[in-house]
Amino acid sequence: MPAKEHLFISPQQAPSDSAQMPPNNPSNFSLCLICGDRARFNNYGALSCQSCKTFFRRNGFRPETVRPCTLVNKCEINMKTRHSCTYCRLSKCFAVGMTSDLIRKEDLKSSKRLSSTKNTQITTISRIVITSFQSQDRTILSDSQWTLLSNIVHAYDACNTISHIKQILNNSSESIDETKKDIIDPMDMLNQICESVILFISSLPDFRILTQNEQISLLNRNLHGVMGFYSTFVFRQIGIFNHANYLNAFEAIYGMNIISAIKNVMEQLDSNETIIKIALIILTFSSESYVDTDRNVDMDTLSYGTFRLLGSQNVYVELLWKYLTYQYGYGRAAVRFAQFIQIVLCIVRNLAMLHVNNEIHRRISDAIVEHIKQMLVFIESEPRPLWGKGLPT
């Protein structure tokens, strides 16, 4: 199971070892932080009942094997529902502070008691598991990188309109006559998605130091890839293809094969939103165009400033890699990073095919680019804080 967004722990939130395992007090009853059942002891880093302790011990090492949530990854977990959704229950265990490292410590103690002669071998195997699964060593990221990561998360959240888009989607689905499903205009939703990602990008210092012409050149070059990646993520978050009228509208434009390809990528896309947020910036500052749009290279004001883009991009690539290593350990970080690259290449391939073969898609893309240019002029004329600080969230 990919890590979920709410599992992200900032330096300020990360508990110390002493905070993770305060002394147990068997004389006091309290409530389990996961399901609300009676609990006496801190198990694996959080006050929890025996049921949730057993559950976490059984699943904490193997989150990737847990069946995904069938709803929206927000199931309520209590005593009655704790057996209904393994995905959301395990996510809540991690969110309240449980860590598999403490299971390993317990296993090591048991192993030492079982056989002192095999202690060295067992310890070595356990350390391999730690390396391949999860690091949680905060020193992997420097203080400045933690600050940068915090700023990215805040900027994205301040500009994020997914909940608003989801509301529009639901209202439109309820109000549309069943006989007129095919009249939905995807442009409205794509413009909403585009505005959200541009507001996010325009709050980045690396973007703000560019001139307006350079900003337009950069987005002319990379907007197709950024929008393709982000739209895939948003479509998954809002469950767009669960709404027949929108599914029909997009199928009418893109065809069944492309919709099937989008669904396939949606299933593979990482569910850790922090990864998505960093990835958007990496894609924005690419020095190569994702799709050949016949743009006039002579008018590209960044054509001789590739090193500037690589400087920005490298900062965020390093940040993504270190964050992945912090969250999952080296082995799983490498797998996730490779999967991210594979997904981007798949999206770019589909976009390139669409640009060549689908005239409606080209018109939609051109309209979005023009909309973005107008947005940038408006943003330039408005004093806006960096990193979205001060913007309503």
Side-chain angles (χ1 to χ4, degrees), residues 194-195 197-203 207-208 212 215 219 371-385:
C194 190
E195 288 178 8
V197 74
I198 293 304
L199 287 174
F200 170 53
I201 292 170
S202 65
S203 72
F207 188 79
R208 293 278 285 277
Q212 188 175 104
Q215 292 174 356
L219 292 176
H371 181 60
I372 291 309
K373 291 179 180 178
Q374 295 173 13
M375 275 192 68
L376 290 177
V377 173
F378 176 75
I379 290 171
E380 184 74 17
S381 64
E382 255 197 355
R384 295 175 59 81

Side-chain angles (χ1 to χ4, degrees), residues 104-383:
R104 296 186 191 94
K105 290 179 181 179
E106 186 176 270
D107 288 344
L108 283 176
K109 291 179 182 178
S110 299
S111 299
K112 288 178 182 179
R113 288 195 298 268
L114 288 174
S115 175
S116 59
T117 60
K118 296 182 180 180
N119 180 63
T120 303
Q121 180 182 1
I122 293 172
T123 304
T124 302
I125 294 173
S126 181
R127 284 176 180 167
I128 291 174
V129 173
I130 291 173
T131 302
S132 63
F133 173 64
Q134 194 173 27
S135 171
Q136 296 296 345
D137 178 5
R138 286 203 301 117
T139 60
I140 290 176
L141 286 91
S142 66
D143 290 343
S144 61
Q145 287 173 325
W146 277 117
T147 300
L148 178 60
L149 188 58
S150 177
N151 283 334
I152 291 171
V153 171
H154 181 276
Y156 177 90
D157 292 344
C159 303
N160 178 25
T161 59
I162 287 182
S163 59
H164 178 63
I165 295 173
K166 189 181 295 187
Q167 184 179 358
I168 293 175
L169 176 73
N170 293 331
N171 291 342
S172 299
S173 297
E174 293 172 1
S175 61
I176 292 294
D177 189 319
E178 287 293 310
T179 63
K180 300 180 180 179
K181 290 178 180 178
D182 58 341
I183 67 171
I184 293 277
D185 184 3
M187 271 298 299
D188 294 335
M189 179 168 295
L190 292 174
N191 275 330
Q192 285 277 339
I193 295 172
C194 190
E195 288 178 8
S196 174
V197 74
I198 293 304
L199 287 174
F200 170 53
I201 292 170
S202 65
S203 72
L204 307 177
D206 297 78
F207 188 79
R208 293 278 285 277
I209 63 173
L210 303 176
T211 66
Q212 188 175 104
N213 285 337
E214 288 174 334
Q215 292 174 356
I216 292 174
S217 293
L218 184 64
L219 292 176
N220 275 338
R221 180 187 293 180
N222 297 329
L223 186 61
H224 291 80
V226 173
M227 276 294 293
F229 181 82
Y230 189 56
S231 296
T232 304
F233 170 71
V234 173
F235 286 171
R236 186 189 67 186
Q237 295 299 97
I238 65 178
I240 189 170
F241 295 134
N242 295 327
H243 298 260
N245 47 359
Y246 279 89
L247 176 60
N248 291 344
F250 277 95
E251 280 185 354
I253 296 174
Y254 295 103
M256 285 289 295
N257 290 339
I258 291 296
I259 297 300
S260 296
I262 293 173
K263 288 181 179 179
N264 183 52
V265 173
M266 284 165 56
E267 292 175 358
Q268 299 179 54
L269 198 61
D270 207 303
S271 63
N272 185 331
E273 288 191 26
T274 301
I275 296 173
I276 303 299
K277 296 166 188 177
I278 304 173
L280 284 172
I281 305 175
I282 294 172
L283 297 178
T284 297
F285 288 102
S286 174
S287 58
E288 294 294 332
S289 176
Y290 295 105
V291 177
D292 184 5
T293 57
D294 301 322
R295 58 193 172 86
N296 189 340
V297 177
D298 294 333
M299 298 298 292
D300 189 342
T301 57
L302 283 173
S303 59
Y304 300 103
T306 298
F307 66 96
R308 297 170 61 189
L309 299 182
L310 291 177
S312 295
Q313 191 180 53
N314 286 344
V315 168
Y316 297 104
V317 170
E318 181 182 6
L319 180 67
L320 176 60
W321 171 248
K322 287 191 174 182
Y323 173 72
L324 287 169
T325 306
Y326 162 77
Q327 283 284 28
Y328 309 112
Y330 181 86
R332 291 188 66 204
V335 172
R336 260 182 156 84
F337 195 84
Q339 186 178 30
F340 159 64
I341 295 173
Q342 183 181 21
I343 287 173
V344 171
L345 292 176
C346 181
I347 291 173
V348 169
R349 181 184 62 203
N350 290 333
L351 288 172
M353 291 171 53
L354 283 172
H355 189 78
V356 172
N357 301 319
N358 193 313
E359 184 180 351
I360 298 177
H361 173 76
R362 286 199 300 273
R363 290 205 302 264
I364 290 175
S365 298
D366 291 342
I368 289 177
V369 169
E370 289 305 312
H371 181 60
I372 291 309
K373 291 179 180 178
Q374 295 173 13
M375 275 192 68
L376 290 177
V377 173
F378 176 75
I379 290 171
E380 184 74 17
S381 64
E382 255 197 355

